[in-house]
């Protein structure tokens, strides 16, 4: 990546939130609450999840009881769902870039603390499911160990105290407004990685706002830089999806002059929830045609202001006709950039073509080219499509 200028004062210690920042807890929470409320004849609205993000467990329980008019006290409801969550701790997947960040800071000797509104026993149970996480943190602070949870600064001040450093030497990484508020109140620099989509404008108090952990640039804060970017791309753990090509919004060919081969986002909602919005690339296989280079966007496409998260692959090949309904398989192997808005249609089109050029060149590198022969692309599509 290009060299970055410092955006704030230099730091020496990092304090990271857990749920929604390192772990995709929201996905599991949505599943549990959806199932629980269905038994009461109520329907969970995932779009109201912002009401519980960054809250203490009791505060989150109170919000759900109030929003859905449940016949329980907040304490009763919390006692009912806590065991359901505990059964799923090890099913919570790390968010993209979480393992990379932890490994990078640990290997470079940067002191890290974990600070969450969750009880410490829950924190330790969750991180025990991820190899090397517990030993990477010199301090772990739970919401039950301080007088007040976030947005009070108590939890971050206690983390700094346990690391034997001044608050001003700490950089906080948070996904919630409550966490950002707490970090700033503690006198720390704060990077916001919003876990609720299309809410960036609400994080103006943060020192910096990034799309995902993949987009962090530690050198801006005087910390060791990542050195794993290759020719404008970031290698990621490959993931695979496939299904029939559907008709999208009709804007790829007609508006942008860039025909995309869309997949049904509804069919992959669980998979998409595990991957941050942005521009990715890899290989695409059409069942009767072959394997092609491709670049794709995941997200809400700010220029068109989508209401749902979509996946829009662009196969870097000219086809003489449409292939709606044909089986498409994707091997996603790298990341290019975060999702972004553009001042004009022309600038959006120019950036998409630049993404295509980056992907076209990168996929010739042995690191990425090896996935062209992936069994997932060359064998019949498994029924699970995942």
């Amino acid at each position: 990546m290009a060299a970055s200028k410092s955006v704030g004062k230099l730091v020496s210690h990092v304090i990271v939130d857990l749920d929604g920042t390192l772990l995709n807890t929201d996905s599991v929470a949505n599943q549990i609450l959806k199932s629980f409320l269905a038994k009461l004849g109520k329907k969970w609205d995932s779009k109201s999840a912002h009401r519980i993000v960054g809250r203490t467990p009791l505060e989150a329980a109170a919000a759900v009881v109030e929003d859905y008019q449940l016949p329980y006290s907040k304490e009763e409801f919390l006692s009912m769902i806590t065991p359901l969550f505990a059964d799923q701790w090890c099913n919570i997947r790390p968010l993209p870039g979480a393992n990379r960040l932890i490994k990078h800071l640990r290997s470079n000797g940067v002191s890290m603390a974990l600070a969450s509104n969750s009880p410490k026993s829950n924190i330790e149970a969750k991180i025990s499911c991820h190899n090397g996480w517990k030993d990477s943190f010199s301090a772990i602070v739970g919401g039950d160990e301080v007088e007040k949870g976030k947005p009070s600064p108590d939890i971050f001040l206690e983390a700094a105290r346990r690391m034997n450093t001044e608050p001003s030497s700490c950089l906080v990484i948070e996904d919630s407004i409550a966490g950002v508020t707490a970090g700033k109140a503690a006198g720390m620099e704060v990077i916001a990685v919003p876990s609720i989509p299309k809410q960036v404008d609400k994080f103006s108090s943060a020192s910096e706002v990034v799309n995902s952990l993949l987009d962090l640039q530690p050198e801006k804060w005087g910390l060791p830089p990542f050195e794993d970017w290759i020719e404008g791309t970031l290698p990621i753990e490959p993931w695979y999806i496939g299904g029939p090509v559907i008709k999208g919004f009709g804007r790829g060919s007609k508006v942008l002059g860039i025909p995309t081969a869309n997949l049904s986002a509804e069919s992959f909602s669980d998979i998409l929830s595990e991957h941050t919005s942005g521009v990715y690339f890899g290989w695409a296989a059409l069942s009767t045609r072959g394997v092609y280079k491709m670049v794709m966007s995941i997200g809400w496409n700010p220029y068109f202001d989508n209401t749902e998260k979509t996946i829009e692959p662009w196969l870097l090949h000219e086809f003489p006709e449409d292939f709606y309904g044909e089986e498409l398989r994707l091997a996603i192997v790298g990341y290019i950039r975060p999702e972004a808005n553009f001042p004009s249609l022309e600038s959006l089109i120019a950036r998409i073509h630049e993404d295509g050029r980056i992907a076209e060149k990168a996929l010739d590198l042995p690191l990425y080219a090896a996935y062209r022969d992936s069994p997932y692309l060359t064998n019949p599509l498994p029924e699970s499509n995942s």
Side-chain angles (χ1 to χ4, degrees):
M1 296 187 69
S4 303
K5 294 182 179 179
S6 175
V7 296
K9 59 176 178 281
L10 304 186
V11 301
S12 55
H13 295 65
V14 176
I15 306 176
V16 190
D17 174 54
L18 181 62
D19 300 305
T21 301
L22 294 178
L23 291 179
N24 188 19
T25 313
D26 293 350
S27 179
V28 170
N30 284 336
Q31 295 172 18
I32 291 174
L33 291 171
K34 179 180 179 181
S35 176
F36 185 93
L37 292 172
K39 294 176 182 178
L40 299 175
K42 299 178 183 292
K43 185 177 181 180
W44 167 248
D45 181 5
S46 60
K47 292 181 180 179
S48 66
H50 69 276
R51 290 264 290 147
I52 63 176
V53 171
R55 303 287 191 92
T56 66
L58 190 59
E59 289 170 343
V64 175
V65 168
E66 178 184 350
D67 289 350
Y68 293 89
Q69 298 181 329
L70 301 185
Y72 314 113
S73 68
K74 58 186 179 183
E75 291 82 6
E76 290 171 334
F77 176 61
L78 183 59
S79 67
M80 296 169 75
I81 63 167
T82 296
L84 303 179
F85 276 91
D87 289 342
Q88 296 295 321
W89 287 155
C90 285
N91 291 330
I92 302 176
R93 294 173 61 86
L95 283 160
N99 280 315
R100 171 181 178 246
L101 174 65
I102 292 172
K103 181 179 179 180
H104 173 71
L105 295 179
R106 180 182 64 214
S107 63
N108 283 281
V110 178
S111 294
M112 286 184 289
L114 196 55
S116 167
N117 266 346
S118 295
K120 186 172 183 178
S121 59
N122 289 1
I123 298 171
E124 293 183 332
K126 292 173 191 175
I127 65 175
S128 69
C129 305
H130 302 281
N131 186 41
W133 279 29
K134 187 174 183 179
D135 293 337
S136 298
F137 297 101
S138 56
I140 298 174
V141 186
D144 56 342
E145 297 185 287
V146 293
E147 183 177 348
K148 296 179 181 179
K150 306 167 192 177
S152 164
D154 295 11
I155 201 164
F156 290 127
L157 293 173
E158 177 62 16
R161 187 189 69 79
R162 294 187 188 182
M163 289 193 292
N164 297 311
T165 191
E166 294 297 320
S168 59
S169 298
C170 297
L171 174 67
V172 169
I173 304 176
E174 263 283 356
D175 74 297
S176 71
I177 294 173
V180 171
T181 301
K184 297 301 288 186
M188 301 177 180
E189 297 292 336
V190 182
I191 297 178
V193 192
S195 57
I196 302 297
K198 306 174 77 169
Q199 300 283 322
V200 172
D201 58 315
K202 296 183 179 180
F203 289 83
S204 57
S205 64
S207 310
E208 182 184 18
V209 181
V210 298
N211 182 66
S212 76
L213 295 179
L214 298 177
D215 304 302
L216 287 176
Q217 294 177 278
E219 64 272 24
K220 288 184 175 182
W221 309 94
L223 299 171
F226 287 111
E227 297 182 348
D228 48 359
W229 285 82
I230 304 172
E231 296 191 12
T233 68
L234 176 65
I236 60 173
E237 181 179 350
W239 53 285
Y240 307 87
I241 57 173
V245 176
I246 64 168
K247 287 192 175 184
F249 299 99
R251 64 191 181 211
S253 297
K254 296 176 183 177
V255 179
L256 301 174
I258 299 170
T260 54
N262 298 288
L263 295 175
S264 170
E266 184 177 352
S267 302
F268 303 108
S269 58
D270 288 343
I271 296 174
L272 291 183
S273 72
E274 297 177 4
H275 298 279
T276 183
S277 61
V279 176
Y280 297 80
F281 66 96
W283 297 98
L286 286 167
S287 54
T288 63
R289 300 169 190 262
V291 180
Y292 306 92
K293 295 176 178 179
M294 72 87 191
V295 63
M296 69 181 218
S297 68
I298 295 178
W300 290 265
N301 200 325
Y303 184 83
F304 293 103
D305 196 23
N306 291 359
T307 57
E308 300 294 338
K309 196 173 187 179
T310 62
I311 175 170
E312 301 181 36
W314 175 27
L315 277 60
L316 302 174
H317 179 84
E318 290 190 16
F319 296 90
E321 70 281 320
D322 292 330
F323 41 85
Y324 295 122
E326 193 163 332
E327 182 182 284
L328 174 67
R329 286 155 281 173
L330 303 176
I332 299 94
V333 301
Y335 175 78
I336 295 177
R337 64 174 176 86
E339 190 173 45
N341 203 346
F342 293 87
S344 67
L345 185 62
E346 291 74 20
S347 59
L348 169 60
I349 293 172
R351 181 65 243 212
I352 294 174
H353 280 285
E354 175 64 16
D355 295 333
R357 287 190 289 271
I358 292 172
E360 182 96 38
K361 182 179 179 181
L363 286 165
D364 287 332
L365 296 172
L367 171 67
Y368 298 126
Y371 292 102
R372 189 185 189 282
D373 299 321
S374 165
Y376 183 80
L377 299 177
T378 55
N379 294 340
L381 185 69
E383 293 182 4
S384 65
N385 283 353
S386 62

